Amino acid sequence: MPDVGVVMPVYKQKPVYLRAALESMLQQRYPHFRLVIVVDGAPFDVLPVIRDTVQADPRVQIVILPENQGVARALNRG
């Protein structure tokens, strides 16, 4: 059972920064966490970067919102 939960809202990020943030989270020394990525109506090129980076890591959950609802709603959803 995860001890730590992290919610990452994603809207319009440059792929290089998004990949760096995801890799940083996945490479943490403490392995008992849950990462919830909320794709908040992001452009079509964002989701492949996320899926490619996290692959099938069981600690990661992706929530997709079809339309941008803003950071507060994305965080609440996560």
Side-chain angles (χ1 to χ4, degrees), residues 22-76:
L22 293 170
E23 288 173 351
S24 174
M25 186 67 203
L26 295 175
Q27 294 172 2
Q28 294 297 310
R29 293 181 69 195
Y30 186 74
H32 305 292
F33 66 86
R34 177 75 159 179
L35 173 61
V36 178
I37 303 168
V38 182
V39 180
D40 188 21
F44 68 93
D45 61 338
V46 170
L47 197 53
V49 172
I50 294 170
R51 287 193 172 137
D52 180 52
T53 305
V54 301
Q55 296 177 8
D57 193 314
R59 302 172 296 180
V60 179
Q61 177 183 354
I62 301 172
V63 177
I64 301 172
L65 303 177
E67 295 179 8
N68 180 268
Q69 298 181 12
V71 69
R73 286 189 178 183
L75 288 170
N76 286 336

